[in-house]
């Protein structure tokens, strides 16, 4: 992989700048050149080694001085000061670099990498469709405001369609007959922003007052080139309802753009569930449904727009003319950003912290072959650029207040790690939703580790667990290396025997070693049973732990793939442990955000490993990486309304390790943070 990228740096004064450099990735070496090398013998300016400790974080879409960049960070998981921030001019180019760097870090052939092939990504979960067809439209009832989906094939590449849908520039008026005015109220991060839309009155029924929407918009790109854009209504202090407009509530909505003929065609799905706030007697639910269907006709307009273009897509600078306000809010003002979906006037916290709002220049380490030295750190004051660096090769930006802190990394939402990361905001709920900090502990009942989350095989008890059906999940078949085929899971290697839902004032590691818990009780009895514990940790002023306990009935040596995993080093463990998520009950918008695709969890989050004579515990640090705030708050809004199913397995990379077998499954029924048990009661 090679091509032009923008090296993004900050100086001591907080000014950000970019330098255009030519990068070439050859095997495990990332070389940086000032210009395109004329021969293979030309020496690069700098070189960095891409090894198993290297991680790549997708930071999303940023707009600076009428230039759009797709940012990603390459960093060393063992030394967070060793990092490199790069920008590409297109999302597809950024995605290719991210994939290539991940493959280089894994040091394996692309044919066995979990997402290395270029075929369209299929779901790793078998689930029934909730949609039904009517009048060439798809729909599912949502109270009195049905969620309706329109589907169309558009003659254009998925990236160009994505750029078109994201832009509020002049070309918007050529296809979007519903929109009169659109603006970005606040840019939250590279994947999330707050947008305001004023709808045109021309297409609305006669006599109907004009409408507007205030939405949180989140986007991501899947590894197969599919783009997902989701919206939901929010409240923002800087965009109050306007006189002459009625603000409608978008309960669920968005686009899914899937390439069907890569580079030529894409299938566009547009979903809307809107409360139009119609109160007049003559305007019943049927009229609301009619307006929603009419709005979905934009898919047809988008199709005609691209047919008229005849392949002439000039979207490289698409957001240069967006009406954007970059004004940042204080932490106190952020208290008032509220979710309107489900909770009405209830409010929740965005997970911005003081660290999130600082631009921290990396502490440059003097280490040969490190990533940070590609930054040309010695040029601290950014001397006057060479003539070849002018114009597009050198862009200086003002200080960016919402840049991520050094220890926070974005991870692509295309992976199943999204499910785990969504729990991150639990520790920061705003009053009015639920107050975790002040929640009282009812009674004086004492618990032991492994008993704090009750089991209910009937799935009728809220905040409980049971096992999920293994056949719901797909695993690699024996012939996977040849044909990439997957089969239904038939059984699990281990049995789920317990679960904990805990809270504390600090992170709780190594639960399995604690006296009185289920693991130690078996050890005290001289049992040979081996335990595998997955401890999902949610940091914050109040820290939460969701611990899942699995037990192996046979000696560990009888299961070679699990024995090799337990005895392997951390790098090996990180490269093999997979999670498959599935939201079996919940809103479409949450299901779409989480996805149903397997993920190498150790490549997305930091995992600390603890072992004893009869156990291995994986402590998954949710706080080790930030995810799009829009999706995190979305899942949080619906948490008590979700049924979450998960499957865990060790990835099979060689023929001897196939077919894959599930380690275990889990089903969490309507998890409730207020029912978490404090560790002092254990």
């Amino acid at each position: 992989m090679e091509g032009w990228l923008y090296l993004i740096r900050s100086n001591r004064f907080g000014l950000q700048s970019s330098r255009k450099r030519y990068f070439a990735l050859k095997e495990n070496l990332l070389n940086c050149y000032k210009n395109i090398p004329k021969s293979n013998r030309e020496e690069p300016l700098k070189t960095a080694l891409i090894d198993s400790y290297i991680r790549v974080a997708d930071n999303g879409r940023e707009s600076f001085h009428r230039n759009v960049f797709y940012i990603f960070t390459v960093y060393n998981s063992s030394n967070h000061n060793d990092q490199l921030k790069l920008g590409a001019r297109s999302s597809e180019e950024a995605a290719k670099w991210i994939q290539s760097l991940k493959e280089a870090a894994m040091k394996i052939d692309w044919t066995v990498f979990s997402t290395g092939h270029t075929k369209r990504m299929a779901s790793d979960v078998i689930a029934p469709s909730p949609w039904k067809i009517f009048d060439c439209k798809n729909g599912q009832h949502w109270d009195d405001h049905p969620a309706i989906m329109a589907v169309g094939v558009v003659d254009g590449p998925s990236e160009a369609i994505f750029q078109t849908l994201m832009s509020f520039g002049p070309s918007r008026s050529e296809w979007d007959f519903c929109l009169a005015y659109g603006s970005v109220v606040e840019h939250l991060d590279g994947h999330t922003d707050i947008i305001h839309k004023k709808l045109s009155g021309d297409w609305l029924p006669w006599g109907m007052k004009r409408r507007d929407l205030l939405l949180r918009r989140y986007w991501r790109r899947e590894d197969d080139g599919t783009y997902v854009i989701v919206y939901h209504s929010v409240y923002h202090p800087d965009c109050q309802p306007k006189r002459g407009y009625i603000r409608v509530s978008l309960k669920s909505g968005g686009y899914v753009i899937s390439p069907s003929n890569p580079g030529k065609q894409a299938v566009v799905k547009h979903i809307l569930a809107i409360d139009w706030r119609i109160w007049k007697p003559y305007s019943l639910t049927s009229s609301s449904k009619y307006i929603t269907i009419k709005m979905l006709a934009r898919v047809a307009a988008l199709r005609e727009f691209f047919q008229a273009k005849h392949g002439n897509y000039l979207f490289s600078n698409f957001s240069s003319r967006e009406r954007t306000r970059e004004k940042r809010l204080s932490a106190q003002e952020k208290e008032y950003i509220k979710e309107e979906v489900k909770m009405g006037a209830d409010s929740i916290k965005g997970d911005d912290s003081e660290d999130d709002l600082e631009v921290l220049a990396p502490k440059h380490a003097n280490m040969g072959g490190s990533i940070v030295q590609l930054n040309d750190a010695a040029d601290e004051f950014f001397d006057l650029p060479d003539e070849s660096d002018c114009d597009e090769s050198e862009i200086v930006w003002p200080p960016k207040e919402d840049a991520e802190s050094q220890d926070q990394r974005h991870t692509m939402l295309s992976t199943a790690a999204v499910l785990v990361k969504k729990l991150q905001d639990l520790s920061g709920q705003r009053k009015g939703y639920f107050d975790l900090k002040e929640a009282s502990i009812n009674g004086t009942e004492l618990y032991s580790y492994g008993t704090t989350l009750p089991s209910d095989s009937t799935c009728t008890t809220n905040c409980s667990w049971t096992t999920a059906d293994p056949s719901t999940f797909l695993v690699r078949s024996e012939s996977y290396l040849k044909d990439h085929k997957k089969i239904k899971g038939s059984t699990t290697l281990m049995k789920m025997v317990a679960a904990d839902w805990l809270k504390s004032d600090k992170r709780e590691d190594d639960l399995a070693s604690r006296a009185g818990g289920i693991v130690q009780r078996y050890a005290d009895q001289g049992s040979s049973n081996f335990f595998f514990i997955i401890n999902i940790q949610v940091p914050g002023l109040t820290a939460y732990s969701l611990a899942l306990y699995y037990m192996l009935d046979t000696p560990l040596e009888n299961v070679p793939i699990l024995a090799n995993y337990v005895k392997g080093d951390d790098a090996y463990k990180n490269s093999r442990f997979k999670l498959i998520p599935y939201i079996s009950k919940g809103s479409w918008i949450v299901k779409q955000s989480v996805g149903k695709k397997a993920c190498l969890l150790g490549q997305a989050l930091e995992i600390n490993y603890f072992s004893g004579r009869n156990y291995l515990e994986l402590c998954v640090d949710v706080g080790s990486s930030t995810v799009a705030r829009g999706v995190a708050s979305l899942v949080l809004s619906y948490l008590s309304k979700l049924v979450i199913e998960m499957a865990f397995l060790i990835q099979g990379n060689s023929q001897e390790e196939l077919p894959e077998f599930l380690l275990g499954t889990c089903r969490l029924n309507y998890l409730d943070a207020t029912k978490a048990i404090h560790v002092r009661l254990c």
Side-chain angles (χ1 to χ4, degrees), residues 41 141 232 274 316 336 427 429 508 588 668:
R41 297 181 179 180
H141 284 287
H232 67 113
I274 303 181
S316 61
Y336 298 99
S427 58
Q429 297 312 309
E508 299 292 337
W588 172 88
L668 301 172

Side-chain angles (χ1 to χ4, degrees), residues 45-57:
L45 295 175
K46 301 285 183 180
T47 298
L49 176 66
I50 306 299
D51 58 22
S52 60
Y53 291 98
I54 297 302
R55 300 287 186 271
V56 188

